[in-house]
Amino acid sequence: MSNRPKILLVDDKPENLVALEKVLSGLAADFVRAASGNEALTLLLDQEYALALVDIQMPGMDGFEMVELMRQQEKLLYLPVIFVSAIYREESHLIKGIESGAVDFIVKPIVPQILIGKVKVFLDLYLQRKKLEQYSRELKKREEVFKVLATSPAGMTDEDIFVNILKACQTVFQIEYVLIGKIVAHEKVDVCAMLTDGEIRKDIAWYNLAGTPCQDVANKGFCFFPEGVADLFPTDRYLVENRIESYLGAPVRLREGETVGILVAFSRKKIVVQDFTREIMDILARRVAMVIEWQHSDKERQDLQFQLQQAQKMEAIGTLAGGIAHDFNNILTAIIGYSELARLETPAEDKISDYLAEVLKAGLRAKELVTQILAFSRQSHSNRQPLDIKPILKESLKLIRATIPTTIRIDQDLSESCGCVQADPTQIHQVIMNLCTNAHHAMRDRSGVLSISLHKVEIHKEDAKVLGYKMTPGRYLKLQISDTGCGMKKEVIDRIFEPYFTTKEEGKGTGMGLAVVHGIVKAHHGHISVYSEPGKGSTFSIYLPEIETAASPVCPAIETPMAIPRGTERLLVVDDEPQITSMIRKMLANFGYRVTTFPGSTAALQAFLAAPDSFDLVITDMTMPEMTGLELAVKMLAARRDIPIILCSGHGGPAIEKEVREAGISTYLTKPLVLRELAQAVRKELDQKE
């Protein structure tokens, strides 16, 4: 069965259906014909379609009536419909068509290029929606792992944790067998826990490593045998007797790199591996390593056990969140970009323009959510500078005072002798606003006091040990935000910095606020702690390392809307996502540029080296197979030192940005790309070159 999108063609005249299909035959779609409105409705309810082209004048039920009946079915409520008519030409007919639920109206005789262009827009939107739905399904799989990683009830035994990990593997990978074992003397595996068809097994104590795929995992690292694993290891009696077909395994390593165990999953069926499979196995194996490490630790290390567990867990979730953000940014780039392109080609008075505006608005909201995820995972773009926090704090308190009720008093205690920190002003503002908003919510149903203080403190070795096991002794600025609200129980305090954890009612909070605060503070090499008791309020203390350098003045520039700049220069665009290269080409071509695109770095480099002077600017993605965008840029600059290069990535971070600057690339854009930002960056680079 074809996986291509389907387009329904509805007309009572067979020759018209043949003609329509012939015009659209070049599109990557399958066409289904219907000779009447009733037949069309039956087909629409039976299968999924990307678009319907409907003739208006038909016997029995005309096109208007058919679309009105469609819109009464929830499944067909948002299916795009384009009316095609040779008779109905008046403006009143167009209005009636739009009111009945159509998105466009084409009058015969049809201009093939116009019809193809309009149909292609809706096909592209349909494909983007399907990709987003697929991504949503994959995200649910990842969230199942999040739930395991983010759930550590007090009093859990080592065996409880192992069972949780086994069940997570079984659920995510849909397999029958999962095993956790310790490696002893490089010769055998002591079985810690094993799951078989949903049941925990305790009758297998150990087995020899030799002649098993587990030996490959222990010696080589992550292994995946998609099929025939029992034939590959005929001396492994367990695999042979249970007719095991597919196998994947990850080594369990201590922080020093020593392999001490294995986490393996195997099945009588072929295991379906996703892009994130290895990432999930590595994260779960890290959890196993943590347990084994605890079992080997001495009393002093046991005193720091809880803090280490929390830090490792947040780091693992942050890594996973960063990966999600990277994938999602690529998808959002296409959604936002094509929405902007479609709006450019749609008259402002057309209802479709309003619909596209809503799509664009949702895309930009998703972009902000991804920014929050990146802030939590400490991989977001950061503009750090020597900073005096006090002015930002005072400005934030003005905003807070205007948004909270007068029944809540605000007390300030800001030291005049506070030093500077190396920080991003926007992110510090975000930390203050998030913590003050949380304090307000804790006192929402009562009067109370919101207290904010800022002082210099000296942290000694003993203090650092109490506050946090990774905190370095030295001079810090301590920002403290307290409330007299409802307070929190210990089990809530233990989880408040975890993403998506919230005690608020459904719809009242995302659970990302404190996770983002935690990520920002850690990214600034700081520390955050909280003290709270039920009924006695909460106090959050943030410690940021003090620096000697004088602070830079913080004067946020107020940007005024500018016209999108144009040009006629020759641009080279490189991205391994064909939809993104196509989108960028269309965007920039709309503003006069001559754009050449390549789906891979190797072909782009060959074309550039063959004629370095044929291009005025290069736009390249960062993460690509064969050769990264940074490697490509370095080789292009070696051939032609003055070529301006814009590097784009959905997964930034200070380390990457440092490499970019050192390579001589001045512009680094974070996906998803927005038309105005991209056009301004291109124009800026070209103007600087001139």
Side-chain angles (χ1 to χ4, degrees), residues 570-686:
R570 301 158 299 178
L571 311 183
L572 173 62
V573 176
V574 191
D575 198 302
D576 61 323
E577 292 274 350
Q579 290 173 327
I580 293 178
T581 53
S582 174
M583 179 203 73
I584 294 175
R585 178 180 58 78
K586 292 173 183 176
M587 276 183 170
L588 296 174
N590 271 335
F591 294 94
Y593 296 103
R594 291 167 286 167
V595 185
T596 303
T597 62
F598 285 93
S601 46
T602 302
L605 180 62
Q606 291 173 351
F608 181 85
L609 294 179
D613 295 323
S614 297
F615 304 100
D616 300 306
L617 179 139
V618 176
I619 302 171
T620 177
D621 185 38
M622 179 64 176
T623 307
M624 295 184 290
E626 300 180 351
M627 187 191 312
T628 68
L630 185 58
E631 292 169 338
L632 173 65
V634 169
K635 291 181 180 180
M636 286 180 169
L637 288 168
R640 182 182 157 194
R641 193 64 205 168
D642 67 333
I643 184 71
I645 297 177
I646 296 175
L647 197 62
C648 308
S649 176
H651 197 219
I656 293 176
E657 292 167 29
K658 182 182 178 184
E659 285 185 70
V660 170
R661 288 194 301 271
E662 290 175 349
I665 301 167
S666 58
T667 300
Y668 178 84
L669 297 181
T670 303
K671 292 179 178 178
L673 302 175
V674 178
L675 175 57
R676 184 181 299 277
E677 293 173 358
L678 177 62
Q680 288 174 347
V682 168
R683 192 66 261 158
K684 179 182 175 184
E685 283 289 329
L686 291 170

Side-chain angles (χ1 to χ4, degrees), residues 10 28 38 67 121 127 153 174 189 251 260 275 280 290 325 339 360 383 416 420 445 473 509 567 607 657:
V10 187
N38 284 324
V67 174
V121 168
L127 292 172
Q174 296 294 302
V189 174
V260 295
D275 293 341
I280 290 175
M290 286 167 57
S339 297
L360 188 56
N383 180 26
E416 292 299 325
C420 302
D445 298 327
E657 292 167 29

Side-chain angles (χ1 to χ4, degrees), residues 463-635:
D463 303 320
K465 187 175 180 181
V466 173
L467 289 169
Y469 79 99
K470 282 189 176 180
M471 195 170 181
T472 305
R475 288 183 300 174
Y476 288 80
L477 259 63
K478 179 182 179 182
L479 170 64
Q480 193 162 281
I481 297 177
S482 304
D483 65 71
T484 57
C486 55
M488 295 177 282
K489 297 178 181 178
K490 185 181 183 303
E491 51 266 34
V492 174
I493 295 173
D494 291 344
R495 299 189 59 195
I496 54 173
F497 296 121
E498 297 175 8
Y500 306 114
F501 175 78
T502 179
T503 58
K504 297 172 185 174
E505 301 171 24
E506 188 173 349
K508 295 289 181 68
T510 64
M512 281 298 295
L514 289 177
V516 169
V517 168
H518 181 277
I520 291 172
V521 171
K522 290 299 180 184
H524 283 76
H525 308 291
H527 178 76
I528 182 169
S529 63
V530 58
Y531 175 79
S532 182
E533 291 183 33
K536 296 185 179 180
S538 305
T539 298
F540 287 83
S541 300
I542 294 172
Y543 300 83
L544 296 173
E546 185 186 11
I547 61 171
E548 298 291 343
T549 313
S552 304
V554 179
C555 299
I558 300 173
E559 293 187 3
T560 54
M562 297 172 57
I564 297 177
R566 304 177 65 87
T568 58
E569 288 87 350
R570 301 158 299 178
L571 311 183
L572 173 62
V573 176
V574 191
D575 198 302
D576 61 323
E577 292 274 350
Q579 290 173 327
I580 293 178
T581 53
S582 174
M583 179 203 73
I584 294 175
R585 178 180 58 78
K586 292 173 183 176
M587 276 183 170
L588 296 174
N590 271 335
F591 294 94
Y593 296 103
R594 291 167 286 167
V595 185
T596 303
T597 62
F598 285 93
S601 46
T602 302
L605 180 62
Q606 291 173 351
F608 181 85
L609 294 179
D613 295 323
S614 297
F615 304 100
D616 300 306
L617 179 139
V618 176
I619 302 171
T620 177
D621 185 38
M622 179 64 176
T623 307
M624 295 184 290
E626 300 180 351
M627 187 191 312
T628 68
L630 185 58
E631 292 169 338
L632 173 65
V634 169
K635 291 181 180 180

Side-chain angles (χ1 to χ4, degrees), residues 59-363:
M61 179 193 302
D62 65 23
F64 294 138
E65 294 169 332
M66 174 194 150
V67 174
E68 286 173 355
L69 287 173
M70 278 176 55
R71 297 312 183 210
Q72 295 174 20
Q73 302 294 323
E74 186 175 353
K75 178 183 177 182
L76 306 177
L77 197 58
Y78 300 107
L79 176 70
V81 174
I82 297 177
F83 277 137
V84 180
S85 177
I87 298 175
Y88 295 88
R89 297 169 171 269
E90 302 298 330
E91 184 178 350
S92 59
H93 300 145
L94 173 61
I95 293 171
K96 183 177 179 181
I98 298 300
E99 287 177 345
S100 68
V103 296
D104 209 339
F105 197 111
I106 296 178
V107 177
K108 297 177 183 177
I110 294 171
V111 178
Q113 292 82 354
I114 292 177
L115 178 61
I116 291 169
K118 291 188 176 186
V119 170
K120 193 173 185 307
V121 168
F122 289 104
L123 277 179
D124 288 342
L125 288 172
Y126 173 83
L127 292 172
Q128 289 304 315
R129 179 172 64 81
K130 299 304 291 183
K131 180 178 274 191
L132 194 56
E133 288 173 356
Q134 173 63 26
Y135 179 79
S136 177
R137 288 191 289 271
E138 293 180 5
L139 186 60
K140 286 180 181 177
K141 291 287 187 183
R142 299 188 186 201
E143 284 176 347
E144 290 166 359
V145 177
F146 265 84
K147 290 175 184 176
V148 174
L149 292 173
T151 305
S152 298
M156 278 188 75
T157 65
D158 295 347
E159 186 177 349
D160 293 334
I161 295 173
F162 285 155
V163 170
N164 269 13
I165 292 171
L166 295 177
K167 289 181 177 178
C169 274
Q170 184 187 43
T171 302
V172 173
F173 301 125
Q174 296 294 302
I175 40 81
E176 304 98 313
Y177 302 90
V178 192
L179 180 144
I180 296 171
K182 293 181 187 177
I183 296 173
V184 180
H186 304 289
E187 294 179 354
K188 69 174 187 175
V189 174
D190 277 349
V191 177
C192 302
M194 184 172 180
L195 192 71
T196 303
D197 290 321
E199 299 293 329
I200 301 298
R201 289 192 63 174
K202 297 184 179 180
D203 57 331
I204 300 178
W206 64 274
Y207 64 90
N208 289 320
L209 264 177
T212 69
C214 300
Q215 187 176 36
D216 282 18
V217 176
N219 295 336
K220 301 175 183 178
F222 181 86
C223 289
F224 174 51
F225 299 97
E227 56 189 357
V229 67
D231 297 331
L232 293 172
F233 297 91
T235 59
D236 190 327
R237 289 179 56 192
Y238 193 86
L239 297 182
V240 174
E241 289 174 1
N242 289 281
R243 303 187 304 280
I244 301 301
E245 177 71 14
S246 192
Y247 172 106
L248 60 90
V252 174
R253 294 190 176 112
L254 300 181
R255 286 181 297 171
E256 295 79 12
E258 178 189 0
T259 300
V260 295
I262 54 171
L263 170 65
V264 298
F266 42 103
S267 174
R268 291 186 291 267
K269 302 174 294 184
K270 185 174 180 179
I271 299 174
V272 178
V273 172
Q274 307 288 349
D275 293 341
F276 55 84
T277 297
R278 180 168 182 171
E279 184 180 23
I280 290 175
M281 287 290 287
D282 286 343
I283 290 171
L284 294 174
R286 257 182 272 168
R287 290 295 304 276
V288 175
M290 286 167 57
V291 176
I292 294 174
E293 200 162 14
W294 296 339
Q295 293 171 346
H296 296 165
S297 64
D298 56 18
K299 187 177 183 303
E300 182 180 354
R301 190 164 189 169
Q302 290 173 4
D303 293 337
L304 298 172
Q305 182 179 19
F306 177 73
Q307 291 184 43
L308 176 62
Q309 177 192 7
Q310 290 295 95
Q312 293 270 353
K313 180 174 64 179
M314 296 296 284
E315 183 180 344
I317 298 174
T319 301
L320 190 55
I324 292 171
H326 173 256
D327 295 342
F328 200 31
N329 269 334
N330 273 333
I331 296 171
L332 279 177
T333 295
I335 291 173
I336 292 173
Y338 278 109
S339 297
E340 289 184 311
L341 282 173
R343 286 196 77 196
L344 288 174
E345 298 179 11
T346 305
E349 63 274 14
D350 196 323
K351 279 191 176 181
I352 298 175
S353 182
D354 295 334
Y355 300 155
L356 291 170
E358 291 301 317
V359 173
L360 188 56
K361 188 189 298 181

